[in-house]
Amino acid sequence: MTAVALLAAATALAMGVWFSAAAVVPQLSLAWDLTPGGSALLTVAVQLGFVVGALVSAGTGLADRVPARRLLTLGALGAAVANAGLLLAGGLAGGLVARLATGALLALVYPSALKEVATWSRRRRGTAMGVMVGALTLGTALPHAVAALGGGTGAAADGVPWQPVVVVTSVLAVVGGLLVLLVRRSGPHARPPATFDRHAALTALRRRPVVLAVLGYVGHMWELYAMWAWLGVLVAGLSSLDGAADPARGAASITAACLAAGALGCVLAGVLGDRVGRPASVVLCGTASAVAALAVAAGRQGPLLLVVVLLAAWGFWVVADSAQLSALVTEHADPDLVAGAVAVQMAAGYLTSAVTVWLVPVLVAATSWSLALAVLAAGSLAGVAAVGVLWRDQRADARSAGA
């Protein structure tokens, strides 16, 4: 559909500002004299800003009083301005303020885009949601693609200015916000959303399937954003890139391609979710992602082609089940409490991601990438286990109904 395609394109362009700082961590670390912990905080701040923005938007009723398309445009334009604030930050303190504001404003973009797309699809909602999360995935690859065109990222790119990456991603976010204006109306399945309140959210969690889906999402987010945030640094440190003509540009290109592969994974998982069931799709994707992370841990010192294949497989699977986990919550929550349940799910997931985004560089500095990747894989498998219980419960209920 034209409307879904426009919304997907707008989301991809707007969400590129999320990792604009992560794509140029080596340059910012030098310019601002950052420690590994300080570099991690720049990305953690976006996660925390997103959580605060999502809860404030829902808790104040903003998401209910303002049309989703208008919120999406306002959020994209605001995030572009906040992202550009990095140019004036001058150091970690100012950078954290800019990143917190960016995350808070992106909380108007991502949930609004998902809500708007849901109005255009009912029977194939899993596929439609997969397309939207695929667009988000392409957005994460954008800063690295911009860096590759401008000279790359990584330790070898210390002399490459970071400012153009920030400027270009901000401009693309503005384009994404304006693109939404071409969508003139909501879809035929639009309905007034319920107003969020904390009591409704807690009531929604009394349902066992909702709790299991939220736990699955937490495990998924334990791995996802840490992978997205630090893949560029991992690739830049590959020994197999040392002999390349332009290691920095090569690292940025590989990172962008491996992150973009996740868009295809989201579409595949959406199709599988609609055809064989969401729990089965989530279990497959989460298990494959954990296996891929462990394979990268074991093979990252191997030949470059092998490492790229393993990283691309990880990028493909790591985000694939995201939309299906959100769909599980909406399908199992009380219809009158869906907004509260989704708010709890997103808050829990993004708070969890903040922990691992901070933890990964600390583990790498203290031990190695291998341990950090194993820790991420463990979180993914824990999420799979929770959804596996949900899947078992569904099959038991189906057998009881057929008896």
Side-chain angles (χ1 to χ4, degrees):
M1 266 181 238
T2 301
V4 173
L6 286 171
L7 290 167
T11 301
L13 294 173
M15 296 300 290
V17 300
W18 191 297
F19 290 108
S20 59
V24 288
V25 160
Q27 296 94 316
L28 284 176
S29 296
L30 285 175
W32 294 350
D33 193 25
L34 301 179
T35 64
S39 300
L41 283 176
L42 285 175
T43 300
V44 170
V46 184
Q47 317 294 110
L48 297 178
F50 185 93
V51 172
V52 171
L55 293 179
V56 169
S57 173
T60 60
L62 182 66
D64 298 305
R65 294 196 299 266
V66 181
R69 299 188 309 284
R70 188 177 302 171
L71 275 184
L72 207 166
T73 295
L74 292 174
L77 297 179
V81 174
N83 182 62
L86 283 172
L87 301 172
L88 305 175
L92 180 60
L96 290 177
V97 172
R99 301 313 285 160
L100 280 167
T102 300
L105 288 159
L106 287 176
L108 302 180
V109 174
Y110 182 37
S112 298
L114 289 177
K115 183 169 68 174
E116 192 65 20
V117 164
T119 70
W120 290 96
S121 178
R122 177 173 292 172
R123 294 181 60 188
R124 301 182 62 191
R125 182 163 294 179
T127 301
M129 292 294 190
V131 169
M132 283 305 301
V133 178
L136 165 66
T137 305
L138 292 177
T140 68
L142 269 179
H144 297 281
V146 172
L149 293 174
T153 61
D158 296 340
V160 176
W162 55 269
Q163 293 88 342
V165 176
V166 173
V167 171
V168 172
T169 51
S170 288
V171 170
L172 292 176
V174 170
V175 174
L178 296 178
L179 200 59
V180 181
L181 299 178
L182 298 177
V183 182
R184 298 295 185 180
R185 61 181 179 85
S186 295
H189 306 297
R191 54 178 293 179
T195 302
F196 171 82
D197 68 72
R198 62 183 182 277
H199 301 297
L202 295 175
T203 301
L205 289 178
R206 292 177 183 173
R207 291 192 174 189
R208 176 181 167 92
V210 173
V211 173
L212 291 171
V214 170
L215 290 175
Y217 187 74
V218 166
H220 162 75
M221 293 292 279
W222 175 270
E223 178 187 27
L224 175 61
Y225 273 82
M227 185 274 194
W228 277 356
W230 301 116
L231 181 63
V233 177
L234 188 160
V235 173
L238 293 175
S239 59
S240 52
L241 273 174
D242 291 344
D246 190 344
R249 178 167 291 178
S253 299
I254 291 170
T255 302
C258 292
L259 290 176
L264 299 176
C266 290
V267 175
L268 173 63
V271 173
L272 288 175
D274 287 339
R275 293 185 178 180
V276 303
R278 307 206 194 289
S281 179
V282 169
V283 168
L284 169 65
C285 296
T287 303
S289 179
V291 170
L294 294 174
V296 172
R300 63 189 177 85
Q301 299 297 342
L304 182 59
L305 179 59
L306 171 63
V307 178
V308 170
V309 170
L310 294 177
L311 290 172
W314 192 20
F316 181 93
W317 291 111
V318 71
V319 67
D321 50 346
S322 190
Q324 306 314 303
L325 285 161
S326 296
L328 276 174
V329 170
T330 64
E331 290 171 352
H332 289 285
D334 185 313
D336 294 327
L337 304 176
V338 167
V342 171
V344 169
Q345 181 193 40
M346 296 190 77
Y350 279 89
L351 283 172
T352 300
S353 70
V355 173
T356 48
V357 166
W358 172 83
L359 181 62
V360 163
V362 173
L363 288 176
V364 171
T367 57
S368 68
W369 273 108
S370 295
L371 177 61
L373 295 175
V375 168
L376 294 183
S380 181
L381 290 175
V384 166
V387 177
V389 173
L390 172 58
W391 191 13
R392 183 197 65 191
D393 289 350
Q394 284 188 347
R395 287 179 293 176
D397 291 343
R399 285 194 297 268
S400 297

